[in-house]
Amino acid sequence: MNRNDAPKTPATFHVKSFGCQMNVYDGERMAEMLGTQGMTVAADGSEADLVILNTCHIREKAVDKVYSDIGRLTREDGTRPMIAVAGCVAQAEGSEIQRRARSVDIVVGPQAYHRLPDLIDKAGRGEDAVDTDMPLASKFGALPARTKQARPTAFLTIMEGCDKFCTYCVVPYTRGAEISRSWSAIIDEAKALVDGGVREITLLGQNVNAWTGEDDKGRKQGMDGLARELARIPDLKRIRYTTSHPNDMSDGLIAAHGDEPKLMPFLHLPVQSGNNRILKAMNRSHSAESYLRIIERVREMRPDIALSGDFIVGFPGETDAEFEDTLKIVEQARYAQCYSFKYSPRPGTPAADMDHQIPAAVMDDRLARLQALINRHQVEFNSATVGRTTDILLERKGRYPGQVIGKSPWLQSVVVTAPELSIGDMVEVDIISAGPNSLAGEISRRKAA
Ligand code: SAH
Ligand code: SF4
Ligand code: F3S
């Protein structure tokens, strides 16, 4: 392996995350860990001594992007940073990555990144630095405590892995079995985040609502109990969670949407398809009807809830009529926003070997039709907020002087001009206009923090 031009003892680093929110969270934890080791974030990513590509394996395109990025890391003068491939591609492909891309120094899976400092040392000595173990003891205990956060919002992974084995999906293989973190570890991390300035926490898990554990009195709890406990942290103003699975939408969680004011009225609940034959072939273990019944019950508890979903078009064997059922469920569910994808065959998953893979042109056409419908509903949802008065949590500065951007309870970006306000403030605004991707607001009155 040619490692001659890579730094042996990196002092600066850059983390690039490609995947889901849990992947972003992992990237943040890696960065915080390297920070406690005395390394600093490179002012300019292209000048970093160590580049960590925190990868995603969910669709083929995501994987291709990683390899093209690796190629681009070698600079014009022939030097390059030390390169680590972390995340789900690392888990899925292991040392194969180094055969395909010889400049990769470190390969570290999503359950092993607490060992990154050691792997950096090994790579510096020119030793093998591949770690895709899924150790029994969770990495979380080995990571340093959360540090002060730059933003008022934070992710907090409460469970990992997936036992559902949808036939198209790599996650059960890259992330392993469902494992819930302990009640106390989660509460402690939340408190540390809030002490560090965070006002909104998004609880994360591949199936976040499958979280289960015992509280400090030994009582069995689900994610709803956990959310209610977190809501008792005074300076924590908002709680969100993602991604939830329809089969884990418990009565308790649905009820919490009705009476826990800190639980935001937003639910990301993927259904993937509106056709029962396809749902069965996907091994989703819910039907279109049972899904619609769940969202109906959530809406009874919280009528203003904003829904979001994920869809796959062109699953093997999907007929035109079956795709029409997906358009139908979108009409029925009325999402505020959605993610939709063309089916991507993933090595090792059952669906990749199924007959009747759908041609790319058919998938393109279906995706365009689905997205047109979803976009129309998104515009309608945003327009319906015009005239409302609502809290927003200010998250970042806007493009123009004095502009700040916050999020509504329904996860919409709201732009306000308010030079006197600071990031992290909660303010009440009147929504005055809506575009497809953001709203404009005016301050109603300053809310007591
Ligand atoms: N655990 C979540 C989803 C995690 S993956 C759930 O079950 O809802 C995020 C999304 O990626 C999925 O909801 C699905 O829509 C999409 N996805 C997963 N595998 C895919 C594949 N092979 N091709 C296309 N999209 C895929
Ligand atoms: Fe993948 Fe299905 Fe698990 Fe979601 S529930 S992570 S789509 S296997
Ligand atoms: Fe991608 Fe792994 Fe997340 S495959 S979607 S980064 S769990």
Side-chain angles (χ1 to χ4, degrees), residues 10-47:
T12 63
F13 68 95
H14 175 72
V15 183
K16 182 170 175 189
S17 291
F18 293 76
C20 58
Q21 288 102 331
M22 305 190 66
N23 172 265
V24 171
Y25 172 86
D26 291 339
E28 289 168 358
R29 298 294 311 252
M30 283 187 249
E32 286 178 15
M33 177 175 55
L34 297 181
T36 62
Q37 301 268 319
M39 290 177 69
T40 53
V41 175
D44 178 348
S46 66
E47 291 302 315

mmCIF file of all heavy atoms in Angstrom, residues 10-47:
data_model
loop_
_atom_site.group_PDB
_atom_site.id
_atom_site.type_symbol
_atom_site.label_atom_id
_atom_site.label_comp_id
_atom_site.label_asym_id
_atom_site.label_seq_id
_atom_site.Cartn_x
_atom_site.Cartn_y
_atom_site.Cartn_z
ATOM 1 N N PRO A 10 -1.495 12.816 12.214
ATOM 2 C CA PRO A 10 -2.355 13.936 11.827
ATOM 3 C C PRO A 10 -2.680 14.851 13.009
ATOM 4 O O PRO A 10 -2.949 14.362 14.109
ATOM 5 C CB PRO A 10 -3.615 13.247 11.301
ATOM 6 C CG PRO A 10 -3.566 11.851 11.809
ATOM 7 C CD PRO A 10 -2.130 11.502 12.018
ATOM 8 N N ALA A 11 -2.681 16.153 12.747
ATOM 9 C CA ALA A 11 -3.037 17.127 13.787
ATOM 10 C C ALA A 11 -4.405 17.747 13.508
ATOM 11 O O ALA A 11 -5.099 18.175 14.416
ATOM 12 C CB ALA A 11 -1.975 18.225 13.857
ATOM 13 N N THR A 12 -4.779 17.790 12.222
ATOM 14 C CA THR A 12 -6.088 18.363 11.887
ATOM 15 C C THR A 12 -6.920 17.316 11.145
ATOM 16 O O THR A 12 -6.380 16.411 10.517
ATOM 17 C CB THR A 12 -5.948 19.593 10.980
ATOM 18 O OG1 THR A 12 -5.351 19.183 9.748
ATOM 19 C CG2 THR A 12 -5.107 20.682 11.635
ATOM 20 N N PHE A 13 -8.240 17.470 11.222
ATOM 21 C CA PHE A 13 -9.102 16.481 10.565
ATOM 22 C C PHE A 13 -10.333 17.137 9.967
ATOM 23 O O PHE A 13 -10.690 18.265 10.298
ATOM 24 C CB PHE A 13 -9.515 15.378 11.549
ATOM 25 C CG PHE A 13 -10.439 15.864 12.640
ATOM 26 C CD1 PHE A 13 -11.817 15.747 12.508
ATOM 27 C CD2 PHE A 13 -9.936 16.449 13.793
ATOM 28 C CE1 PHE A 13 -12.682 16.196 13.508
ATOM 29 C CE2 PHE A 13 -10.780 16.905 14.800
ATOM 30 C CZ PHE A 13 -12.156 16.778 14.657
ATOM 31 N N HIS A 14 -10.975 16.368 9.095
ATOM 32 C CA HIS A 14 -12.230 16.800 8.483
ATOM 33 C C HIS A 14 -13.125 15.563 8.365
ATOM 34 O O HIS A 14 -12.670 14.533 7.861
ATOM 35 C CB HIS A 14 -11.947 17.403 7.100
ATOM 36 C CG HIS A 14 -13.178 17.764 6.336
ATOM 37 N ND1 HIS A 14 -13.966 18.831 6.677
ATOM 38 C CD2 HIS A 14 -13.764 17.185 5.255
ATOM 39 C CE1 HIS A 14 -14.997 18.895 5.831
ATOM 40 N NE2 HIS A 14 -14.896 17.915 4.958
ATOM 41 N N VAL A 15 -14.362 15.671 8.849
ATOM 42 C CA VAL A 15 -15.298 14.543 8.743
ATOM 43 C C VAL A 15 -16.370 14.900 7.730
ATOM 44 O O VAL A 15 -16.972 15.972 7.806
ATOM 45 C CB VAL A 15 -16.007 14.252 10.096
ATOM 46 C CG1 VAL A 15 -16.912 13.023 9.974
ATOM 47 C CG2 VAL A 15 -15.002 14.058 11.212
ATOM 48 N N LYS A 16 -16.603 14.008 6.777
ATOM 49 C CA LYS A 16 -17.688 14.222 5.815
ATOM 50 C C LYS A 16 -18.686 13.081 5.945
ATOM 51 O O LYS A 16 -18.343 11.917 5.734
ATOM 52 C CB LYS A 16 -17.107 14.270 4.406
ATOM 53 C CG LYS A 16 -18.151 14.537 3.345
ATOM 54 C CD LYS A 16 -17.527 14.824 2.000
ATOM 55 C CE LYS A 16 -18.633 14.968 0.958
ATOM 56 N NZ LYS A 16 -18.126 15.030 -0.402
ATOM 57 N N SER A 17 -19.916 13.422 6.323
ATOM 58 C CA SER A 17 -20.940 12.395 6.515
ATOM 59 C C SER A 17 -21.873 12.342 5.311
ATOM 60 O O SER A 17 -22.328 13.366 4.826
ATOM 61 C CB SER A 17 -21.736 12.675 7.793
ATOM 62 O OG SER A 17 -20.896 12.472 8.912
ATOM 63 N N PHE A 18 -22.158 11.126 4.850
ATOM 64 C CA PHE A 18 -22.936 10.931 3.618
ATOM 65 C C PHE A 18 -24.345 10.417 3.865
ATOM 66 O O PHE A 18 -25.135 10.335 2.940
ATOM 67 C CB PHE A 18 -22.251 9.879 2.734
ATOM 68 C CG PHE A 18 -20.922 10.279 2.169
ATOM 69 C CD1 PHE A 18 -19.784 10.288 2.940
ATOM 70 C CD2 PHE A 18 -20.812 10.641 0.832
ATOM 71 C CE1 PHE A 18 -18.557 10.645 2.409
ATOM 72 C CE2 PHE A 18 -19.599 10.996 0.288
ATOM 73 C CZ PHE A 18 -18.473 10.993 1.077
ATOM 74 N N GLY A 19 -24.634 9.967 5.077
ATOM 75 C CA GLY A 19 -25.824 9.133 5.254
ATOM 76 C C GLY A 19 -26.958 9.760 6.025
ATOM 77 O O GLY A 19 -27.175 10.972 5.992
ATOM 78 N N CYS A 20 -27.664 8.906 6.762
ATOM 79 C CA CYS A 20 -28.854 9.302 7.509
ATOM 80 C C CYS A 20 -28.451 10.104 8.754
ATOM 81 O O CYS A 20 -27.273 10.309 9.023
ATOM 82 C CB CYS A 20 -29.601 8.042 7.935
ATOM 83 S SG CYS A 20 -28.613 6.921 8.942
ATOM 84 N N GLN A 21 -29.426 10.507 9.529
ATOM 85 C CA GLN A 21 -29.126 11.306 10.725
ATOM 86 C C GLN A 21 -28.235 10.553 11.698
ATOM 87 O O GLN A 21 -27.427 11.149 12.396
ATOM 88 C CB GLN A 21 -30.423 11.696 11.445
ATOM 89 C CG GLN A 21 -31.227 12.750 10.717
ATOM 90 C CD GLN A 21 -32.397 12.124 9.983
ATOM 91 O OE1 GLN A 21 -32.342 10.963 9.554
ATOM 92 N NE2 GLN A 21 -33.464 12.868 9.839
ATOM 93 N N MET A 22 -28.371 9.234 11.758
ATOM 94 C CA MET A 22 -27.535 8.472 12.695
ATOM 95 C C MET A 22 -26.088 8.496 12.242
ATOM 96 O O MET A 22 -25.161 8.484 13.053
ATOM 97 C CB MET A 22 -28.013 7.033 12.785
ATOM 98 C CG MET A 22 -29.467 6.978 13.144
ATOM 99 S SD MET A 22 -29.997 5.346 13.522
ATOM 100 C CE MET A 22 -29.068 5.059 15.004
ATOM 101 N N ASN A 23 -25.909 8.523 10.931
ATOM 102 C CA ASN A 23 -24.576 8.623 10.364
ATOM 103 C C ASN A 23 -23.986 10.010 10.677
ATOM 104 O O ASN A 23 -22.811 10.134 11.054
ATOM 105 C CB ASN A 23 -24.703 8.351 8.855
ATOM 106 C CG ASN A 23 -23.458 8.583 8.046
ATOM 107 O OD1 ASN A 23 -23.293 9.670 7.488
ATOM 108 N ND2 ASN A 23 -22.600 7.598 7.947
ATOM 109 N N VAL A 24 -24.825 11.038 10.606
ATOM 110 C CA VAL A 24 -24.384 12.392 10.954
ATOM 111 C C VAL A 24 -23.999 12.447 12.436
ATOM 112 O O VAL A 24 -22.970 13.004 12.821
ATOM 113 C CB VAL A 24 -25.493 13.427 10.634
ATOM 114 C CG1 VAL A 24 -25.156 14.801 11.186
ATOM 115 C CG2 VAL A 24 -25.742 13.488 9.129
ATOM 116 N N TYR A 25 -24.836 11.836 13.265
ATOM 117 C CA TYR A 25 -24.564 11.772 14.705
ATOM 118 C C TYR A 25 -23.217 11.092 14.962
ATOM 119 O O TYR A 25 -22.385 11.581 15.724
ATOM 120 C CB TYR A 25 -25.695 11.009 15.397
ATOM 121 C CG TYR A 25 -25.463 10.706 16.859
ATOM 122 C CD1 TYR A 25 -25.787 11.625 17.843
ATOM 123 C CD2 TYR A 25 -24.925 9.477 17.259
ATOM 124 C CE1 TYR A 25 -25.582 11.343 19.191
ATOM 125 C CE2 TYR A 25 -24.718 9.179 18.598
ATOM 126 C CZ TYR A 25 -25.054 10.120 19.561
ATOM 127 O OH TYR A 25 -24.837 9.828 20.890
ATOM 128 N N ASP A 26 -22.982 9.955 14.296
ATOM 129 C CA ASP A 26 -21.703 9.256 14.452
ATOM 130 C C ASP A 26 -20.543 10.172 14.064
ATOM 131 O O ASP A 26 -19.503 10.189 14.719
ATOM 132 C CB ASP A 26 -21.665 8.000 13.572
ATOM 133 C CG ASP A 26 -22.614 6.909 14.059
ATOM 134 O OD1 ASP A 26 -22.992 6.931 15.241
ATOM 135 O OD2 ASP A 26 -22.968 6.036 13.238
ATOM 136 N N GLY A 27 -20.738 10.933 12.985
ATOM 137 C CA GLY A 27 -19.696 11.861 12.541
ATOM 138 C C GLY A 27 -19.376 12.900 13.609
ATOM 139 O O GLY A 27 -18.216 13.226 13.866
ATOM 140 N N GLU A 28 -20.442 13.382 14.269
ATOM 141 C CA GLU A 28 -20.245 14.374 15.330
ATOM 142 C C GLU A 28 -19.513 13.766 16.525
ATOM 143 O O GLU A 28 -18.635 14.387 17.122
ATOM 144 C CB GLU A 28 -21.605 14.937 15.782
ATOM 145 C CG GLU A 28 -22.234 15.835 14.720
ATOM 146 C CD GLU A 28 -23.703 16.181 14.997
ATOM 147 O OE1 GLU A 28 -24.277 15.696 16.001
ATOM 148 O OE2 GLU A 28 -24.280 16.924 14.191
ATOM 149 N N ARG A 29 -19.884 12.526 16.859
ATOM 150 C CA ARG A 29 -19.210 11.878 17.998
ATOM 151 C C ARG A 29 -17.745 11.615 17.681
ATOM 152 O O ARG A 29 -16.877 11.734 18.544
ATOM 153 C CB ARG A 29 -19.911 10.562 18.377
ATOM 154 C CG ARG A 29 -21.345 10.680 18.838
ATOM 155 C CD ARG A 29 -21.579 11.398 20.137
ATOM 156 N NE ARG A 29 -20.824 11.089 21.312
ATOM 157 C CZ ARG A 29 -21.274 10.444 22.393
ATOM 158 N NH1 ARG A 29 -22.506 9.967 22.416
ATOM 159 N NH2 ARG A 29 -20.530 10.273 23.461
ATOM 160 N N MET A 30 -17.455 11.229 16.425
ATOM 161 C CA MET A 30 -16.056 11.013 16.041
ATOM 162 C C MET A 30 -15.275 12.320 16.174
ATOM 163 O O MET A 30 -14.165 12.348 16.703
ATOM 164 C CB MET A 30 -15.964 10.515 14.591
ATOM 165 C CG MET A 30 -16.307 9.052 14.435
ATOM 166 S SD MET A 30 -15.971 8.491 12.752
ATOM 167 C CE MET A 30 -17.599 8.216 12.146
ATOM 168 N N ALA A 31 -15.891 13.405 15.690
ATOM 169 C CA ALA A 31 -15.212 14.706 15.735
ATOM 170 C C ALA A 31 -14.956 15.126 17.184
ATOM 171 O O ALA A 31 -13.861 15.584 17.530
ATOM 172 C CB ALA A 31 -16.041 15.755 15.001
ATOM 173 N N GLU A 32 -15.957 14.945 18.035
ATOM 174 C CA GLU A 32 -15.786 15.321 19.440
ATOM 175 C C GLU A 32 -14.686 14.484 20.086
ATOM 176 O O GLU A 32 -13.874 14.982 20.867
ATOM 177 C CB GLU A 32 -17.106 15.152 20.206
ATOM 178 C CG GLU A 32 -18.124 16.236 19.873
ATOM 179 C CD GLU A 32 -19.467 16.066 20.589
ATOM 180 O OE1 GLU A 32 -19.555 15.287 21.561
ATOM 181 O OE2 GLU A 32 -20.426 16.711 20.162
ATOM 182 N N MET A 33 -14.642 13.201 19.732
ATOM 183 C CA MET A 33 -13.627 12.311 20.315
ATOM 184 C C MET A 33 -12.225 12.751 19.895
ATOM 185 O O MET A 33 -11.317 12.841 20.717
ATOM 186 C CB MET A 33 -13.889 10.873 19.881
ATOM 187 C CG MET A 33 -12.844 9.892 20.369
ATOM 188 S SD MET A 33 -13.272 8.190 19.949
ATOM 189 C CE MET A 33 -13.499 8.314 18.201
ATOM 190 N N LEU A 34 -12.054 13.046 18.601
ATOM 191 C CA LEU A 34 -10.732 13.472 18.136
ATOM 192 C C LEU A 34 -10.358 14.812 18.769
ATOM 193 O O LEU A 34 -9.192 15.063 19.067
ATOM 194 C CB LEU A 34 -10.697 13.551 16.609
ATOM 195 C CG LEU A 34 -10.918 12.212 15.884
ATOM 196 C CD1 LEU A 34 -10.829 12.400 14.376
ATOM 197 C CD2 LEU A 34 -9.920 11.147 16.342
ATOM 198 N N GLY A 35 -11.391 15.658 19.002
ATOM 199 C CA GLY A 35 -11.149 16.936 19.688
ATOM 200 C C GLY A 35 -10.579 16.721 21.082
ATOM 201 O O GLY A 35 -9.613 17.388 21.485
ATOM 202 N N THR A 36 -11.134 15.763 21.822
ATOM 203 C CA THR A 36 -10.622 15.512 23.174
ATOM 204 C C THR A 36 -9.219 14.897 23.126
ATOM 205 O O THR A 36 -8.502 14.917 24.108
ATOM 206 C CB THR A 36 -11.546 14.578 23.999
ATOM 207 O OG1 THR A 36 -11.610 13.322 23.329
ATOM 208 C CG2 THR A 36 -12.938 15.146 24.155
ATOM 209 N N GLN A 37 -8.836 14.369 21.967
ATOM 210 C CA GLN A 37 -7.477 13.817 21.798
ATOM 211 C C GLN A 37 -6.479 14.910 21.401
ATOM 212 O O GLN A 37 -5.326 14.613 21.100
ATOM 213 C CB GLN A 37 -7.474 12.777 20.678
ATOM 214 C CG GLN A 37 -8.402 11.607 20.906
ATOM 215 C CD GLN A 37 -7.704 10.469 21.601
ATOM 216 O OE1 GLN A 37 -6.557 10.177 21.287
ATOM 217 N NE2 GLN A 37 -8.362 9.857 22.560
ATOM 218 N N GLY A 38 -6.958 16.148 21.290
ATOM 219 C CA GLY A 38 -6.056 17.243 20.953
ATOM 220 C C GLY A 38 -6.003 17.579 19.473
ATOM 221 O O GLY A 38 -5.286 18.490 19.061
ATOM 222 N N MET A 39 -6.742 16.848 18.652
ATOM 223 C CA MET A 39 -6.758 17.207 17.227
ATOM 224 C C MET A 39 -7.759 18.338 17.001
ATOM 225 O O MET A 39 -8.688 18.525 17.765
ATOM 226 C CB MET A 39 -7.155 15.989 16.378
ATOM 227 C CG MET A 39 -6.064 14.918 16.346
ATOM 228 S SD MET A 39 -6.566 13.449 15.400
ATOM 229 C CE MET A 39 -6.605 14.100 13.739
ATOM 230 N N THR A 40 -7.550 19.096 15.936
ATOM 231 C CA THR A 40 -8.466 20.202 15.649
ATOM 232 C C THR A 40 -9.067 20.042 14.258
ATOM 233 O O THR A 40 -8.486 19.408 13.377
ATOM 234 C CB THR A 40 -7.740 21.569 15.719
ATOM 235 O OG1 THR A 40 -6.599 21.500 14.868
ATOM 236 C CG2 THR A 40 -7.315 21.910 17.132
ATOM 237 N N VAL A 41 -10.240 20.655 14.087
ATOM 238 C CA VAL A 41 -10.915 20.616 12.792
ATOM 239 C C VAL A 41 -10.131 21.480 11.811
ATOM 240 O O VAL A 41 -9.757 22.606 12.145
ATOM 241 C CB VAL A 41 -12.364 21.144 12.935
ATOM 242 C CG1 VAL A 41 -13.056 21.230 11.579
ATOM 243 C CG2 VAL A 41 -13.163 20.267 13.885
ATOM 244 N N ALA A 42 -9.865 20.960 10.632
ATOM 245 C CA ALA A 42 -9.113 21.721 9.639
ATOM 246 C C ALA A 42 -9.945 22.908 9.161
ATOM 247 O O ALA A 42 -11.142 22.769 8.909
ATOM 248 C CB ALA A 42 -8.768 20.828 8.455
ATOM 249 N N ALA A 43 -9.300 24.084 9.087
ATOM 250 C CA ALA A 43 -10.025 25.275 8.659
ATOM 251 C C ALA A 43 -10.565 25.058 7.248
ATOM 252 O O ALA A 43 -11.689 25.416 6.920
ATOM 253 C CB ALA A 43 -9.103 26.484 8.713
ATOM 254 N N ASP A 44 -9.747 24.441 6.419
ATOM 255 C CA ASP A 44 -10.174 24.135 5.058
ATOM 256 C C ASP A 44 -10.075 22.621 4.895
ATOM 257 O O ASP A 44 -8.994 22.039 5.031
ATOM 258 C CB ASP A 44 -9.221 24.872 4.089
ATOM 259 C CG ASP A 44 -9.576 24.565 2.633
ATOM 260 O OD1 ASP A 44 -10.376 23.637 2.390
ATOM 261 O OD2 ASP A 44 -9.038 25.251 1.750
ATOM 262 N N GLY A 45 -11.230 21.986 4.617
ATOM 263 C CA GLY A 45 -11.280 20.525 4.538
ATOM 264 C C GLY A 45 -10.217 19.943 3.624
ATOM 265 O O GLY A 45 -9.649 18.885 3.906
ATOM 266 N N SER A 46 -9.896 20.645 2.548
ATOM 267 C CA SER A 46 -8.950 20.091 1.574
ATOM 268 C C SER A 46 -7.519 20.094 2.115
ATOM 269 O O SER A 46 -6.626 19.492 1.533
ATOM 270 C CB SER A 46 -9.021 20.874 0.262
ATOM 271 O OG SER A 46 -8.559 22.189 0.485
ATOM 272 N N GLU A 47 -7.314 20.804 3.235
ATOM 273 C CA GLU A 47 -5.972 20.846 3.829
ATOM 274 C C GLU A 47 -5.844 19.941 5.048
ATOM 275 O O GLU A 47 -4.804 19.924 5.708
ATOM 276 C CB GLU A 47 -5.637 22.295 4.248
ATOM 277 C CG GLU A 47 -5.439 23.250 3.065
ATOM 278 C CD GLU A 47 -4.332 22.764 2.130
ATOM 279 O OE1 GLU A 47 -3.266 22.351 2.639
ATOM 280 O OE2 GLU A 47 -4.569 22.763 0.908
#
